Amino acid sequence: MKKKINIQFIAVSSFAVMVTAVMSMLLFYHIFTNQVFDDIEAYAHVIQPLDQKFWEQEKNLLRLEEDGLRITLIEADGKVAYDSSADQGRMDNHKERPEIRQAMERGEGRAVRWSATSSVHTLYYAQRLEHGEVLRVGKDSKNIFRIFLHTIELVVVLSAVTVLFCVCLSHILTRRLLLPIEKLASDLDEAEQEAVYEEISPFIQTIRKQHEDILSLARMRQEFTANVTHELKTPLTAIAGYAELIASGMADERDTRRFAHEIHVSSDRLQFLINDIIKLSELEDGEQELDFEDVDLYEMAQGCLDMLDVPAAKQEVSLKLRGEPCIVRANRVLLDELLYNLCSNAIRYNNHGGSVTVTVESENSQVLLAVKDTGIGISKEHQERVFERFYRVDKSRSKQSGGTGLGLAIVKHIVAQHKAEMHLISEPGKGTEIRILFDTLIA
């Protein structure tokens, strides 16, 4: 990444330097050309009042040649009357030369073109005189291009130095740019204390939050694995122990029956536990697609209570259903699982002779599902944690009644999948009520 940023910085800076250099040279050429035209215009104004014999003096001709100047006098018909650098008798008619034509039409003219006489590019300034003649002063481009070449050399050297400076600056800026990220990769806490530029702070905060989430998830998975191992070990140990006693022949017929019953109970608990773990894993899978349909929550609650009638009778718990038919948009399988876990928990942690009341009714634009029992209740310090996996308020009673400690954790995930709201109301010794509000239009 650092190398790529360096290359991009250098490429951008080099391109900028090259464009600046080219534009500077073009601008310099334009300014310099205008300056030369202004100079030869001034020469023309100085030369104009002088007599032609003064121009023809040898010392003046030598000076003109040294300065790269050329003086030409053209008559009104375009014939060359005098030229300081050539024999005017052999020269072509100049009437159609651009600078001469402009001077005859507008009083003065300028042109840069190849001179057939001097065989160099020449800058010309022509001025019309009082009697229709045209005085033209030319400046050879040899000296101009020599200066321009020196300028190009200077610009190239400066550009190279600038690019080299940009390369060094790019390395420094890239290092400073990536320093907080590199520190973040090695130590998140140190990156927080490090003074960084404002733009990267949200990025660091996001990375830190993701890191904390990953650590939290790792801890949850570790705890979950430890809890699963512990929960599985208990019934497996019981099964192995009773099976070993039967296999050794030490148990009589009566004990064998009792041991077989205990093996059956432990295997059932083991099966319930495995099923709940699988269900919870499926619910935690964010990529799982659920099918939603219109279901009658009242009808499903009635079916659930009918299914739990026998376990409730064993516990001497009466089951009641109140309310009215209400349609919600939900996943039928998950909703059935939610009802079963809530109602079975209400029966399991109830008192003998107690009751479980399920209410389904409309509440404003939502549908309320309430499961209320007259059981042991939950104290305040436990209410926030009862929806955690394997958390039990009364551990001995839970295991004795066959609870896995995952029922309310499953309920919590199902409620989240349906974007519903859940509230727990409980008081020790007076019972517990769990209220869930469903939207009628869950997508």
Side-chain angles (χ1 to χ4, degrees), residues 35-179:
Q35 182 61 49
V36 172
F37 274 125
D38 291 341
D39 291 344
I40 57 179
E41 181 180 354
Y43 296 154
H45 293 161
V46 172
I47 293 172
Q48 179 183 345
L50 299 177
D51 188 77
Q52 184 175 333
K53 292 181 180 179
F54 178 81
W55 305 343
E56 294 175 347
Q57 292 179 11
E58 186 175 352
K59 63 177 183 178
N60 290 332
L61 290 174
L62 289 174
R63 186 173 298 171
L64 289 173
E65 185 177 355
E66 289 174 359
D67 293 338
L69 292 174
R70 177 184 176 189
I71 299 173
T72 308
L73 183 64
I74 298 97
E75 296 178 354
D77 60 357
K79 183 179 179 182
V80 178
Y82 172 78
D83 191 286
S84 62
S85 300
D87 183 3
Q88 61 269 19
R90 297 181 179 180
M91 297 179 67
D92 298 334
N93 190 289
H94 279 39
K95 190 174 184 178
E96 294 303 319
R97 302 293 168 90
E99 69 279 5
I100 305 301
R101 188 170 62 252
Q102 291 174 18
M104 290 181 175
E105 293 174 357
R106 295 180 296 198
E108 63 178 7
R110 294 183 178 187
V112 180
R113 57 183 177 78
W114 176 263
S115 173
T117 304
S118 57
S119 298
V120 292
H121 277 89
T122 307
L123 287 78
Y124 291 109
Y125 172 79
Q127 184 179 20
R128 188 179 62 204
L129 305 179
E130 293 181 0
H131 302 292
E133 302 97 332
V134 174
L135 174 65
R136 185 183 71 179
V137 179
K139 175 75 173 177
D140 292 343
S141 61
K142 289 181 180 178
N143 293 334
I144 298 173
F145 283 121
R146 190 177 299 115
I147 296 173
F148 189 64
L149 287 174
H150 288 315
T151 305
I152 291 176
E153 292 175 0
L154 178 62
V155 170
V156 169
V157 171
L158 289 176
S159 298
V161 172
T162 305
V163 170
L164 184 61
F165 174 75
C166 289
V167 170
C168 298
L169 187 62
S170 171
H171 283 290
I172 296 172
L173 291 177
T174 303
R175 191 181 303 113
R176 291 187 61 186
L177 177 69
L178 297 180
L179 182 61

Side-chain angles (χ1 to χ4, degrees), residues 256-275:
T256 301
R257 284 189 174 186
R258 184 168 60 88
F259 293 162
H261 174 72
E262 294 297 334
I263 291 174
H264 178 70
V265 171
S266 296
S267 62
D268 283 346
R269 184 165 180 268
L270 186 61
Q271 184 176 359
F272 291 147
L273 183 61
I274 292 172
N275 288 337

Side-chain angles (χ1 to χ4, degrees), residues 9 85 166 199 227 242 314 322 327 380 386 403 422 434:
F9 272 151
S85 300
C166 289
E199 291 79 5
N227 287 329
Y242 289 128
K314 288 182 180 179
R322 294 177 180 174
I327 304 299
K380 286 289 184 182
V386 291
M422 180 167 60
I434 295 180

Side-chain angles (χ1 to χ4, degrees), residues 349-365:
Y349 297 102
N350 215 316
N351 296 314
H352 288 284
S355 65
V356 174
T357 304
V358 179
T359 304
V360 177
E361 60 186 7
S362 297
E363 190 171 289
N364 298 326
S365 60

